Amino acid sequence: MRGLFMTFEGPEGSGKTTQAAALVQRLRAAGYRVEAPREPGGTSTGEAIRGILQHDTAGEPICPEAEVLLFAASRAHLVRRVILPALETGAVVVCDRFGDSTTAYQGYGRRIDVDVIRRINALALDGAVPDLTFLLDVEFGTGFARLTARRQAGAAGEDRFERESQAFHERVRAGYLELAEQEPDRFVVVPTNRPRDAVAGEIWTRVQERFGERLKELRRAG
């Protein structure tokens, strides 16, 4: 039986990584086999690409077109080495970012032709379309206040995308919301301007509503 594939998307400071981890922990505690990759990354090759894209390890500016192709390269490798094999064994895959990130950040944010990005993504995905995508939505001011607090606490430094202008990040958020409107059956928009536990509770409820019976079958089969 094919497993389940869920992804988490959102602008900077939306809490998607925290909420993806919370869902993974809850699923594992309930007895499911779960793969939890991140994008870019999730493989040795992908992590090397992540260093270039997120943390300037190449030591030079990256043109937008190269950015798109590097994300696609990391994604193509992750799909074929991790995601599709896991789904074929009946596992639940929860991915922190996926193809929609490139559409939102490089398409809407960088203003690269969205149709071109979709064609590149189609090659990278090899049919690995998420069953459900959680879009964690947050306004720019709230998201970046969280990032500032995190940096002040020493949790992380500022990456390439966090250094972009407010106008860029507003376009990214608007792009995400437009994608959600275009695919309402796949996307669930979850506002995150509230306590983490409330957000996690809504996500778990949505998963149970959408996949309750299928999850029971996967646990029995696994």
Side-chain angles (χ1 to χ4, degrees), residues 5-21 24 35-42 50 53-54 71 74-76 78-79 83 93-106 121 125 128 130 132-138 144 147 150 159 161-162 168-169 172-173 176 179 186-187:
F5 184 20
M6 293 179 278
T7 58
F8 279 74
E9 298 283 358
E12 304 299 321
S14 63
K16 61 170 186 50
T17 298
T18 297
Q19 293 300 333
V24 168
E35 286 285 346
R38 67 177 181 176
E39 274 227 331
R50 184 183 183 88
L53 288 168
Q54 303 287 117
F71 275 112
S74 175
R75 184 167 303 126
L78 178 66
V79 163
I83 293 175
V93 177
V94 178
C95 195
D96 182 354
R97 293 204 185 280
F98 198 54
D100 297 305
S101 283
T102 303
T103 309
Y105 276 76
Q106 282 67 50
N121 259 338
L125 267 55
L132 183 64
T133 296
F134 287 105
L135 172 54
L136 303 192
D137 183 45
V138 68
F144 271 76
L147 294 179
R150 189 174 69 189
D159 70 23
F161 293 99
E162 291 169 6
F168 171 85
H169 290 288
V172 169
R173 183 188 179 211
Y176 268 131
L179 293 176
R186 176 166 69 87
F187 277 88

